[in-house]
Amino acid sequence: MTAERVRVAFQGELGADAEDAVQQLFGPASDAVPCPTYRDAAAAVVGGRADRVLLPIENTLTGGVGDVHDVIDGAAQLHAVGETVVAVHHCLLAPPGASLQTIRSVLVHPEAIPQCGRFFREHRRIETHPVFDTAAAARDVAQLGDIAFAAVAPRSAAARYPLDVIVADIDDRHDNQTRYLAMSVTPVQPGLASPVRTMLVFTTLDTPGALLHALQPFAQHGVNLRRLESRPTGDPWSYRFFVEFDHEVGNPHVERALEDLRSHTAAVRIVGTYARWQAGRRGSIGWTPMDVPIIA
């Protein structure tokens, strides 16, 4: 019997790092579904046009992706069900015949500009033009065919469109990585005592020390916080906080911490609990395809 394929929505065009993330997390029995924006990708799952959405939640050089957190906050129907980490290697791509000396303008995703800050500081004559997707930048440069234009994109995009790699690995660090979060309309149920990560979002009370009181229960109950991200609620000078923490399924201290958190906050939403990503041997990026039921 043939296994049903998983349709995974992502922001961007085929050839982007997000497509690699889809293959890494869901394996060969998955179909990547390109979408124009993060919000469109999430809506594809809510509307049944895809089974999962994969969103870049944070980068090791530039931190959390604010737009993605806002999409998650606005999509209460979606639950976090998995994560993966992709090694990012930005390359300068241009049409055949181009060289570093001929290039005057570069199409580049806004998130990639600070990740390649050293390269652009050393080549100030090159103008950067923000675009919404790295693979789309490569596609547009290939269609233009002008040796004065280049794109910052993965090496795989050069073969797809096709373009020459003018300068490889222009990231500020060789270990640049992006973590992606998979979301579905149905939560997963990790096995008992398995190592997992939980994401939640809360708003604080308007009282002195409100954030301190909200976070104290995690320390008191020995729960290891991994990340804290704040985003504006839309009301002036009001914020909501995203928290991720590691634990084992069934740990009673987690439930006690969450009970205390609810008593010190205005609102709490559990975004999801999912298996933690783990690096492969010899420092490589390791993965195990997700074994999660397909949503009809």
Side-chain angles (χ1 to χ4, degrees), residues 25 80-85 179-182 187-191 193-199 244-249 272-278 288-292:
L25 185 58
V81 296
E83 65 172 15
T84 192
V85 174
R179 183 166 67 97
Y180 288 81
L181 190 68
V188 298
Q189 297 294 330
S194 59
V196 293
R197 179 167 291 165
T198 290
M199 172 185 278
E244 288 183 280
F245 58 90
D246 293 346
H247 60 103
E248 291 185 345
V249 175
T273 297
Y274 46 91
R276 269 181 267 167
W277 169 85
Q278 296 182 4
T288 299
M290 290 185 61
D291 184 15
V292 183

Side-chain angles (χ1 to χ4, degrees), residues 34-204:
C35 298
T37 68
Y38 299 130
R39 199 169 300 278
D40 291 332
V45 179
V46 175
R49 298 185 303 278
D51 306 302
R52 306 284 187 274
V53 59
L54 200 58
L55 299 169
I57 194 72
E58 64 171 333
N59 176 265
T60 52
L61 296 181
T62 57
V65 183
D67 289 348
V68 169
H69 288 79
D70 294 340
V71 168
I72 292 173
D73 184 63
Q77 311 97 314
L78 295 181
H79 306 269
V81 296
E83 65 172 15
T84 192
V85 174
V86 171
V88 178
H89 300 292
H90 293 303
C91 299
L92 188 70
L93 310 181
S99 68
L100 190 57
Q101 288 68 41
T102 69
I103 295 170
R104 294 290 179 268
S105 299
V106 175
L107 306 186
V108 55
H109 193 287
E111 288 286 331
I113 295 175
Q115 294 175 29
C116 307
R118 185 182 303 113
F119 175 84
F120 288 115
R121 288 192 298 271
E122 293 174 352
H123 301 87
R124 295 185 182 275
R125 63 177 179 77
I126 299 179
E127 295 182 356
T128 59
H129 300 276
V131 294
F132 287 111
D133 179 58
T134 55
R139 179 201 62 198
D140 292 347
V141 166
Q143 291 175 349
L144 188 62
D146 189 333
I147 62 173
F149 285 83
V152 172
R155 184 184 292 271
S156 58
R160 180 181 289 271
Y161 286 108
L163 297 167
D164 289 344
V165 178
I166 306 301
V167 184
D169 301 337
I170 63 174
D171 310 81
D172 285 357
R173 289 180 59 101
H174 73 279
D175 56 355
N176 186 17
Q177 299 171 56
T178 296
R179 183 166 67 97
Y180 288 81
L181 190 68
M183 305 195 76
S184 167
V185 294
T186 298
V188 298
Q189 297 294 330
L192 192 64
S194 59
V196 293
R197 179 167 291 165
T198 290
M199 172 185 278
L200 59 82
V201 57
F202 66 84
T203 52
T204 57

